[in-house]
C-alpha cells in the first residue's frame, strides 16, 4: 500500500502533467474568469489586510495580475496588500507590504516575482506578522484541490507553515485567523487530496466555473 508521501507525489506528477497540457489561451481565459470572481467578492472589498500571491508563469499558476492591479495601490486607501517572499529552503516565507508594482523583481530559480526588502525611500517593508492588525484574507495558489477544501502544494510546506504563524498572530491579537482563498484551474481539481495533520484546508476555492464556499468563514466571500 502506498504511503501518504507516495500518494502526494503521484498526484503532484499527475496534476503537473495536466497543467503542462493546458493551452495558453485556456489559462488566460480561466485566469480572467477567476480574477473577475475574486474582484466581485464582498470580502475582498471590505477587508483591509489582504495577502495575494504573485503568480509564476513557469509554474503555470492562475494569473493574479488583474487582482494585484486593484490592490496595489489599493482603490481604498485603508486597505493594505502583502505579497510573499521566500526566506530560505526551510519553509520560511514572509508577506511584505507592497505599495507599488515597481517594487517587484523576478528571483531564481523559478523566476517568481517578489518584493524588494525596502520601500523606494529605503525603509524596510512592513511584515504582515509585525503589523498592528492581523492578515484578514490570504489569496493563495496550490497544485491540486478537492471539493472539501483539501489542498496539495508543491511539497515545500511554505504556505502551511506561514498559515500556522498567521493563526498564532491572530490569536495573540484576539482576532480571527485569515480567510484562506485558493485559485485553481479546472485541471487542478481532483476527487480527493491526500492530507496529513499539518496540511491546511482552504475556506474558499475559486475556479473559472464556480466559487466553492467550503466553511462558515468562507460563506462571506
Amino acid at each position: 500500500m502506498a504511503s501518504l508521501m507516495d500518494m502526494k507525489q503521484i498526484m503532484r506528477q499527475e496534476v503537473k502533467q495536466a497543467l503542462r497540457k493546458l493551452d495558453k489561451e485556456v489559462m488566460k481565459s480561466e485566469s480572467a474568469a477567476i480574477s473577475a470572481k475574486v474582484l466581485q467578492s464582498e470580502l475582498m472589498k471590505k477587508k483591509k489586510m489582504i495577502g495575494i500571491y504573485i503568480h509564476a508563469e513557469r509554474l503555470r499558476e492562475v494569473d493574479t495580475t488583474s487582482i494585484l492591479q486593484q490592490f496595489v495601490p489599493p482603490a481604498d486607501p485603508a486597505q493594505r496588500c502583502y505579497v510573499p517572499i521566500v526566506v530560505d529552503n526551510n519553509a520560511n516565507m514572509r508577506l511584505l507590504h507592497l505599495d507599488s508594482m515597481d517594487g517587484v523583481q523576478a528571483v531564481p530559480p523559478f523566476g517568481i516575482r517578489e518584493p524588494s526588502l525596502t520601500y523606494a525611500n529605503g525603509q524596510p517593508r512592513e511584515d504582515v506578522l509585525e503589523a498592528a492588525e492581523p492578515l484578514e484574507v490570504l489569496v493563495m495558489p496550490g497544485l491540486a484541490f478537492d471539493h472539501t477544501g483539501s489542498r496539495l502544494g508543491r511539497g515545500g510546506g511554505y504556505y502551511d507553515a506561514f498559515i500556522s504563524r498567521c493563526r498564532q498572530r491572530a490569536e495573540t491579537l484576539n482576532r480571527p485567523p485569515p480567510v484562506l482563498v485558493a485559485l485553481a484551474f479546472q485541471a487542478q481539481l481532483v476527487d480527493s487530496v491526500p492530507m496529513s495533520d499539518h496540511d491546511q484546508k482552504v475556506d474558499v476555492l475559486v475556479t473559472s466555473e464556480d466559487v466553492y464556499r467550503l466553511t462558515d468563514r468562507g460563506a462571506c466571500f
Side-chain angles (χ1 to χ4, degrees):
M1 183 176 178
S3 68
L4 179 64
M5 187 176 295
D6 289 338
M7 289 190 290
K8 285 186 173 185
Q9 194 58 30
I10 290 169
M11 182 167 287
R12 286 190 180 102
Q13 294 304 319
E14 291 174 347
V15 176
K16 284 179 181 178
Q17 185 175 13
L19 285 173
R20 283 194 290 268
K21 292 179 180 178
L22 273 186
D23 181 88
K24 286 189 176 181
E25 287 304 312
V26 171
M27 294 173 65
K28 182 178 179 181
S29 175
E30 287 196 28
S31 289
I34 291 166
S35 296
K37 289 180 172 63
V38 172
L39 293 175
Q40 290 165 5
S41 164
E42 288 302 314
L43 181 75
M44 297 294 289
K45 294 175 184 177
K46 292 179 179 179
K47 296 300 184 183
K48 305 304 181 188
M49 302 286 284
I50 298 173
I52 304 173
Y53 75 93
I54 303 177
H55 79 286
E57 284 189 36
R58 183 173 171 182
L59 298 180
R60 303 182 83 80
E61 294 175 333
V62 172
D63 190 329
T64 55
T65 301
S66 62
I67 301 173
L68 285 163
Q69 286 173 344
Q70 182 67 27
F71 292 98
V72 183
D76 178 355
Q79 290 183 311
R80 293 176 74 80
C81 181
Y82 298 81
V83 297
I85 179 170
V86 172
V87 176
D88 55 32
N89 294 324
N90 297 314
N92 289 309
M93 180 177 83
R94 302 167 66 197
L95 256 67
L96 302 183
H97 176 237
L98 187 63
D99 57 336
S100 167
M101 292 305 294
D102 292 339
V104 169
Q105 55 198 358
V107 299
F110 298 112
I112 296 175
R113 291 172 297 159
E114 295 183 347
S116 57
L117 295 175
T118 60
Y119 295 108
N121 64 6
Q123 294 297 311
R125 291 189 184 277
E126 181 180 64
D127 186 317
V128 74
L129 294 181
E130 298 172 359
E133 297 292 323
L135 190 67
E136 295 176 288
V137 184
L138 177 59
V139 178
M140 58 194 292
L143 192 55
F145 303 90
D146 64 28
H147 291 91
T148 71
S150 296
R151 171 186 177 272
L152 180 67
R154 294 180 178 272
Y158 288 92
Y159 275 90
D160 290 324
F162 177 77
I163 292 166
S164 291
R165 293 196 295 274
C166 269
R167 293 186 191 279
Q168 293 170 4
R169 175 65 174 164
E171 186 175 348
T172 298
L173 297 175
N174 197 28
R175 297 284 296 277
V179 177
L180 305 180
V181 180
L183 312 185
F185 293 119
Q186 293 295 126
Q188 294 176 271
L189 301 183
V190 299
D191 290 334
S192 179
V193 170
M195 294 277 284
S196 56
D197 292 339
H198 69 271
D199 291 330
Q200 305 277 353
K201 284 195 171 190
V202 300
D203 299 296
V204 180
L205 176 61
V206 185
T207 72
S208 59
E209 300 294 326
D210 209 343
V211 176
Y212 301 93
R213 297 169 176 86
L214 304 164
T215 66
D216 290 341
R217 300 186 64 251
C220 60
F221 184 83

